[in-house]
Amino acid sequence: MSTYSADYLRRLMVSVDKFSEAFEAWAETQVEATHMGARGIFPTAWTKEGQDPVEVAKLELEVAEKSGAASVATSVTGSYIVVQGMGALDPIANWSFMTAPKSPLTPRDVRMTVANVRGRLQAMLDDAEADTPGGLPAFSPALWHPVVWGAAAPQWVIHQYRVAVAEGAESLTHYWKTRLGRQDADASVFWQETLNASVGARPGRPKLVPPGDPAARTTRSLKAGLQDLGPALQQLAKGLNLAVRNVAAHERQELSEQDAMEMLSAYSMFARMLDQCEVEFADEGAEA
């Protein structure tokens, strides 16, 4: 069974609390009904008379935003409810169903799920704190680079580790190809050209270079330490793309959590190294 760090579980708890606060603020503007009261045809929540439509819409958007993060906690805790004809349903992610005709959810369902999630998270948090060796920092995948973790998280929390690695790797390449306008090359070629320290930038082919002006005394130490970063990043990118990303994308055998953690940690480190680089564009008068 997969385990989560105490820090990660606390973050999920905060997300659930923020959703609950936003939901209750929105609920103040609504008439609430049960399935019996709505007779199975009408919504189970609708706007009270006299409410400002603009303010209600603002509150709805706030709930929608907070539900995105909080719904991860539903996946982690498995706090779904089963609805006839629809299967397992996450009331936090699908709270807006209440405003639709023949709603499968009621405000009570959402509140009961929030309470259930809180209880399960607290139990998991108690276990995580009890199992954490004294003096050792807890591991939290949520602290990986946001580009990597943002893409990997939906698969990681449901324990699809092979897909999580592939998504995290693909997202980093897509992020930099989009930022540099390089949709013309595949991943391996893109990284080789973008990080090649022996070739300057060309029109349509900007480069990532280590930062610092070698003539500035304040940056000499940093420059000396990072002077090999370009070639090192090129080789790291090529190696990760071939040995990690391609394998994760094409193999069908599931990865262990430990293997996936180490792979995505490498991508997270790579992403942070790239963040230190500067984008170098070709001179406007340079020949293509």
Side-chain angles (χ1 to χ4, degrees):
M1 179 178 178
S2 175
T3 57
Y4 301 89
S5 74
D7 180 68
Y8 179 57
L9 294 172
R10 290 191 195 96
R11 290 170 182 265
L12 289 182
M13 188 79 80
V14 170
S15 296
V16 174
D17 289 342
K18 289 182 177 179
F19 167 78
S20 181
E21 292 174 3
F23 179 79
E24 293 302 336
W26 170 78
E28 288 292 327
T29 69
Q30 302 294 302
V31 176
E32 299 183 19
T34 64
H35 282 134
M36 292 295 293
R39 301 178 182 177
I41 300 176
F42 299 102
T44 56
W46 58 90
T47 304
K48 296 176 181 178
E49 293 185 6
Q51 293 294 320
D52 181 357
V54 175
E55 182 63 22
V56 174
K58 180 180 177 180
L59 292 172
E60 285 179 338
L61 290 176
E62 185 72 13
V63 180
E65 179 182 345
K66 296 299 187 291
S67 70
S71 64
V72 176
T74 307
S75 300
V76 169
T77 60
S79 302
Y80 298 97
I81 65 173
V82 177
V83 177
Q84 185 176 4
M86 301 183 70
L89 199 64
D90 176 4
I92 292 179
N94 298 292
W95 67 275
S96 61
F97 282 7
M98 295 184 301
T99 61
K102 298 183 179 180
S103 171
L105 298 174
T106 67
R108 179 178 182 275
D109 293 328
V110 176
R111 294 188 177 101
M112 291 294 288
T113 299
V114 167
N116 193 316
V117 168
R118 280 195 183 115
R120 295 191 184 191
L121 282 178
Q122 186 59 57
M124 295 171 70
L125 179 57
D126 292 341
D127 290 341
E129 290 177 336
D131 292 340
T132 300
L136 294 180
F139 165 74
S140 175
L143 297 180
W144 278 327
H145 190 282
V147 171
V148 175
W149 175 238
Q155 300 301 324
W156 185 274
V157 297
I158 60 174
H159 318 313
Q160 298 296 316
Y161 300 122
R162 179 185 61 79
V163 181
V165 171
E167 291 293 326
E170 186 66 29
S171 70
L172 184 60
T173 299
H174 176 73
Y175 170 81
W176 280 105
K177 287 176 69 174
T178 300
R179 183 170 173 180
L180 300 182
R182 288 300 314 274
Q183 302 298 338
D184 59 316
D186 63 29
S188 295
V189 173
F190 167 72
W191 289 120
Q192 289 172 14
E193 294 182 348
T194 303
L195 298 172
N196 189 340
S198 62
V199 179
R202 292 184 288 171
R205 297 183 182 182
K207 290 175 52 61
L208 289 173
V209 298
D213 180 2
R217 296 181 60 183
T218 57
T219 60
R220 286 177 183 173
S221 295
L222 177 62
K223 189 68 175 180
L226 297 177
Q227 62 183 348
D228 293 328
L229 183 60
L233 285 177
Q234 180 183 358
Q235 295 304 314
L236 179 61
K238 181 178 179 181
L240 288 175
N241 186 61
L242 295 176
V244 178
R245 183 261 182 193
N246 288 349
V247 171
H250 299 298
E251 290 289 338
R252 292 304 171 201
Q253 183 176 354
E254 187 54 82
L255 295 173
S256 68
E257 183 180 21
Q258 181 66 28
D259 287 341
M261 178 180 69
E262 294 178 0
M263 290 179 180
L264 282 176
S265 293
Y267 270 103
S268 180
M269 179 193 70
F270 179 41
R272 297 191 192 283
M273 294 172 73
L274 292 174
D275 284 345
Q276 298 181 59
C277 294
E278 298 174 347
V279 180
E280 179 184 278
F281 294 95
D283 293 336
E284 294 184 0
E287 295 183 359

